[in-house]
Amino acid sequence: MNRAFNRKKDKSWMHTPDALAKHYIAYNAKFLGNTEVEAPKGTEVVKDAVRKLKFQRHIKKSEGQKIPKVELQISIYGVKILDPKTKVSPQDVQHNCQLHRISFCADDKTDKRIFTFICKDSESNKHLCYVFDSEKCAEEITLTIGQAFDLAYKKFLESGGKDVETRKQIGSLQKRIQELETENSELKKQLQELEEQLMIAHVPPAGSISMKPQSTDIFDMVPFSPVTPLAPTLASNGCPPPPPTTLPPDIRKDLFGAEPFDPFTCGAADFPPDIQSKLDEMQEGFKMGLTLEGTVFSLDPLDSRC
């Protein structure tokens, strides 16, 4: 994966792996909001977003509106943004940013409160920049997100590869089962039509003179003559029975005309749409990597305090 953690090499992760893998790390912050950006990465991209959201908050503050407080829950499963007063159920999650969708994370070098990250929206696929004001722990939050991303990627490599192969087999089997069910339905329909034709063929027309039946043996069977070649006999109404179907010798088929099912030789199938898109999305997100940067956002008087 093309990971880019733009930090000094002596920077160590802030937490133990279990803290992020089995639980989550919580931070309190003020949420300035999110806004759409044109690119998934870039210092100038987030600078413009921070300026825009700070300006909007400056206007709302002058109107008497306060910046909402939120709790950030960071784990290997993503970054959740919740209202700290009502965080009871999953319905209370304001935003759930999955790590493979987060591509850029930055904090302000000159102001230890401001940090931001870019995340691709799951519904619109637009890149959104989230901006926060924390209590002098912006860099720690940025590093925590970076550590969670790193652990999530390792987990994806350890279990994701196996899951991909398993899901491929499941997808192939599901597709083959669906094909067999469709084929079986068609065969049943054809069988029903043949039975109806045979029933019509054996009903003598009204007023017809019955012919003298052939002599039969003790088992009520027509005697077999080796001299007379086998040929399709005419039904009582003069309609010949349907011609027998002949199969190419190179194709093995069962009693119902279906090719034998072999899960090891059937062609590779696509995943079901939901699984396929999810795996592709995760793989693409992790390959893009997460860039962590320390930058300078406070470039004008308006940025000093929001």
Side-chain angles (χ1 to χ4, degrees):
M1 183 187 65
N2 183 22
R3 289 183 301 161
F5 292 110
N6 297 333
R7 292 289 187 176
K8 294 181 180 179
K9 291 184 178 180
D10 59 351
K11 289 286 185 182
S12 59
W13 294 131
M14 306 294 298
H15 310 282
T16 62
D18 283 347
L20 290 165
K22 297 180 179 180
H23 307 284
Y24 61 82
I25 306 298
Y27 293 96
N28 292 319
K30 294 179 180 179
F31 185 33
L32 275 66
N34 59 31
T35 184
E36 183 182 354
V37 291
E38 296 181 354
K41 295 177 183 287
T43 302
E44 294 302 321
V45 174
V46 293
K47 280 183 179 180
D48 291 340
V50 170
R51 290 194 188 100
K52 177 181 178 180
L53 290 173
K54 278 191 172 183
F55 180 74
Q56 292 177 356
R57 283 298 170 188
H58 183 75
I59 295 177
K60 291 181 179 181
K61 186 177 181 180
S62 65
E63 296 174 350
Q65 297 184 27
K66 294 183 178 180
I67 302 175
K69 295 181 179 180
V70 296
E71 177 177 293
L72 298 174
Q73 295 181 355
I74 305 172
S75 70
I76 62 171
Y77 301 103
V79 179
K80 293 182 179 180
I81 304 172
L82 307 93
D83 186 334
K85 296 180 181 179
T86 61
K87 50 168 188 170
V88 179
S89 62
Q91 288 76 14
D92 296 320
V93 178
Q94 298 177 4
H95 301 277
N96 186 9
C97 303
Q98 296 174 307
L99 290 174
H100 65 272
R101 290 180 170 272
I102 300 178
S103 54
F104 192 86
C105 193
D107 56 78
D108 194 337
K109 286 182 179 179
T110 59
D111 188 342
K112 299 300 181 181
R113 302 176 303 116
I114 302 297
F115 73 95
T116 178
F117 62 81
I118 298 176
C119 180
K120 190 176 183 181
D121 184 65
S122 59
E123 296 182 359
S124 64
N125 282 332
K126 296 178 180 179
H127 296 288
L128 302 178
C129 184
Y130 294 75
V131 180
F132 302 87
D133 181 343
S134 66
E135 293 296 330
K136 298 183 179 181
C137 56
E139 183 179 16
E140 180 178 338
I141 296 175
T142 301
L143 287 173
T144 302
I145 294 175
Q147 182 182 7
F149 185 95
D150 188 57
L151 292 171
Y153 175 63
K154 290 178 180 178
K155 182 178 177 64
F156 180 79
L157 289 181
E158 292 172 358
S159 62
K162 297 177 182 178
D163 290 343
V164 167
E165 292 304 319
T166 301
R167 292 183 188 280
K168 278 184 179 179
Q169 295 178 13
I170 292 174
S172 298
L173 291 174
Q174 287 177 340
K175 183 175 181 180
R176 183 56 179 159
I177 289 172
Q178 186 176 6
E179 291 174 349
L180 289 174
E181 288 178 347
T182 303
E183 190 174 0
N184 187 37
S185 178
E186 291 295 328
L187 291 171
K188 284 182 178 179
K189 185 178 179 180
Q190 294 177 14
L191 182 61
Q192 184 177 1
E193 292 175 353
L194 289 175
E195 289 177 346
E196 291 175 354
Q197 292 179 10
L198 289 174
M199 290 178 64
I200 295 174
H202 285 85
V203 175
S208 61
I209 301 174
S210 59
M211 301 295 292
K212 182 180 178 181
Q214 293 178 293
S215 60
T216 57
D217 60 14
I218 191 172
F219 297 104
D220 199 32
M221 300 289 289
V222 177
F224 170 71
S225 173
V227 180
T228 305
L230 291 176
T233 58
L234 295 179
S236 59
N237 64 352
C239 298
T245 57
T246 57
L247 299 176
D250 57 332
I251 299 179
R252 297 179 295 118
K253 294 192 175 184
D254 61 15
L255 180 62
F256 299 101
E259 295 181 18
F261 171 61
D262 186 353
F264 299 101
T265 59
C266 63
D270 293 335
F271 299 143
D274 55 338
I275 299 177
Q276 178 68 53
S277 59
K278 183 67 176 177
L279 290 173
D280 290 346
E281 175 198 325
M282 292 184 69
Q283 191 171 30
E284 180 183 355
F286 280 124
K287 281 184 177 180
M288 179 183 290
L290 172 64
T291 300
L292 304 182
E293 282 192 3
T295 185
V296 178
F297 297 136
S298 302
L299 299 179
D300 52 62
L302 179 63
D303 288 334
S304 60
R305 290 293 173 184
C306 58

